[in-house]
């Protein structure tokens, strides 16, 4: 797949082969990601990375939705979007006053039209945001990074992910971050499921 590769909210972490974009500093392109429209053509981008960026954006829900609508617009069908965010119950999230948005795997799945239709059929309360916003993303992968606190409690390097998720529902600081991969779906006939 040919297309632009964007490192959005790059800060000082430039990636080779990517157009590095930030509101501050001296990136390749200086742009405020909360200002729309973004300066890229429709269907021109095949790869986006947002490394510790999305939690800083979209305090206002309409701005947050606008970010996803712009990503959907500029991306080609099948484009990949890598999102890394701190876990919302880790100190890393709480300690930074510029963190304004919790981002979770389920929160990203709300942008899947496949799941939206399933939830509507089931009468589930999940907000069908993909249908409401006319965008469609599939969460293809979620990697959970345990924290140092987790390894102090459970020194075994073979992490029991199920136990980690269960205990993180009770205790803070056990999961450090989520590393997630979205795929842009622009072909209505394709039904592609994700995995955790």
């Amino acid at each position: 797949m040919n297309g632009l590769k964007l490192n959005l909210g790059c800060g000082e972490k430039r990636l080779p082969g990517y157009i590095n974009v930030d509101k501050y500093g001296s990136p390749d392109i200086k742009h405020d990601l909360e200002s729309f429209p973004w300066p890229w053509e429709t269907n021109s981008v095949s790869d986006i990375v947002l490394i510790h960026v999305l939690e800083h954006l979209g305090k206002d829900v309409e701005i947050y939705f606008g970010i996803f609508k712009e990503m959907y617009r500029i991306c080609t069908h099948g484009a990949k979007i890598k999102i890394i965010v701190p876990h919302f119950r880790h100190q890393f999230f709480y300690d930074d006053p510029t963190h304004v948005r919790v981002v979770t795997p389920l929160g990203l799945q709300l942008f899947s039209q496949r799941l939206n239709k399933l939830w509507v059929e089931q009468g589930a309360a999940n907000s069908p945001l993909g249908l409401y916003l006319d965008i469609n993303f599939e969460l293809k992968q979620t990697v959970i990074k345990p924290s140092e606190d987790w390894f102090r409690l459970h020194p075994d390097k073979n992490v029991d992910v199920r136990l980690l998720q269960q205990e993180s529902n009770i205790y803070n600081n056990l999961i450090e971050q989520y590393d997630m991969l979205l795929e842009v779906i622009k072909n209505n006939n394709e039904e592609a499921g994700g995995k955790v």
Side-chain angles (χ1 to χ4, degrees), residues 5-157:
K5 297 167 72 173
L6 304 179
N7 177 19
L8 299 180
C10 65
E12 300 305 315
K13 296 179 182 175
R14 294 168 166 270
L15 295 179
Y18 284 76
I19 298 170
N20 297 283
V21 181
D22 206 292
K23 180 179 178 180
Y24 302 107
S26 51
D28 301 323
I29 294 179
K30 192 173 269 195
H31 183 74
D32 180 354
L33 296 173
E34 294 186 319
S35 295
F36 313 120
W38 288 356
W40 297 284
E41 298 293 326
T42 299
N43 297 319
S44 65
V45 175
S46 63
D47 190 297
I48 292 175
V49 295
L50 294 143
I51 301 174
H52 289 287
V53 173
L54 206 48
E55 68 272 19
H56 297 271
L57 303 174
K59 181 178 181 181
D60 178 280
V61 72
E62 292 304 321
I63 296 290
Y64 187 68
F65 290 165
I67 290 164
F68 279 86
K69 289 193 283 190
E70 279 299 281
M71 285 197 292
Y72 190 74
R73 178 187 67 78
I74 67 174
C75 281
T76 59
H77 170 69
K80 301 294 189 285
I81 302 172
K82 180 177 183 174
I83 296 170
I84 298 177
V85 292
H87 190 273
F88 62 97
R89 291 189 64 189
H90 193 280
Q91 207 66 36
F92 291 164
F93 181 80
Y94 291 119
D95 286 343
D96 190 333
T98 68
H99 289 171
V100 297
R101 171 65 52 184
V102 169
V103 182
T104 67
L106 179 56
L108 295 180
Q109 287 178 316
L110 298 177
F111 299 116
S112 164
Q113 290 188 11
R114 178 184 62 84
L115 290 176
N116 293 166
K117 291 170 186 172
L118 179 64
W119 294 329
V120 169
E121 287 174 14
Q122 295 173 340
N126 305 43
S127 299
L129 297 179
L131 295 174
Y132 289 168
L133 302 173
D134 196 25
I135 60 177
N136 196 5
F137 299 91
E138 282 291 337
L139 180 61
K140 302 302 286 184
Q141 185 178 31
T142 300
V143 176
I144 298 170
K145 181 180 179 184
S147 69
E148 290 180 13
D149 289 329
W150 167 264
F151 286 115
R152 275 196 286 277
L153 294 171
H154 305 278
D156 187 355
K157 294 299 178 191

Side-chain angles (χ1 to χ4, degrees), residues 87 89 163-172 174-175:
H87 190 273
R89 291 189 64 189
L163 179 63
L164 173 59
Q165 289 175 310
Q166 287 174 343
E167 290 194 1
S168 73
N169 289 332
I170 303 168
Y171 305 108
N172 290 338
L174 296 184
I175 298 175

